[in-house]
Amino acid sequence: MASKCVHCGSTAYGAGCSKSLNGLHLHNNDEKRCIYCGTSSYGTGCLQTPTRVHIHGHGANKCIYCGSTATGMGCKHSPTGSHEK
């Protein structure tokens, strides 16, 4: 089953969502993919966010910024430096 944007229900990623405040489709229910662009990559390189950092959906007890199952400080991609799940 394809992931859908939480705002409009579309399966599209990136720009074009008429129901979100920033115009971006948001898929926050897939821990294997970036919520904005849909890639499986972690770290820098997301062209859809101002920070250029891929953010994955929640699930599988993984950090949304790096994919680690660690807790606490140590995530180099998180803006706070801590692993966020």
Side-chain angles (χ1 to χ4, degrees):
M1 184 167 98
S3 176
K4 294 186 178 183
C5 174
V6 298
H7 299 294
C8 70
S10 171
T11 57
Y13 282 89
C17 181
S18 61
K19 295 188 178 182
S20 73
L21 295 177
N22 62 3
L24 296 175
H25 294 287
L26 174 68
H27 298 250
N28 66 354
N29 57 350
D30 186 353
E31 77 277 357
K32 296 177 183 172
R33 305 217 170 269
C34 175
I35 63 176
Y36 291 110
C37 71
T39 186
S40 59
S41 298
Y42 284 98
T44 58
C46 182
L47 301 178
Q48 304 300 329
T49 63
T51 61
R52 299 295 191 236
V53 174
H54 294 289
I55 304 168
H56 282 231
H58 299 281
N61 198 32
K62 292 181 179 180
C63 175
I64 62 175
Y65 293 102
C66 71
S68 171
T69 56
T71 58
M73 299 301 288
C75 179
K76 66 180 181 179
H77 301 297
S78 167
T80 64
S82 67
H83 295 287
E84 299 180 35
K85 298 182 180 185

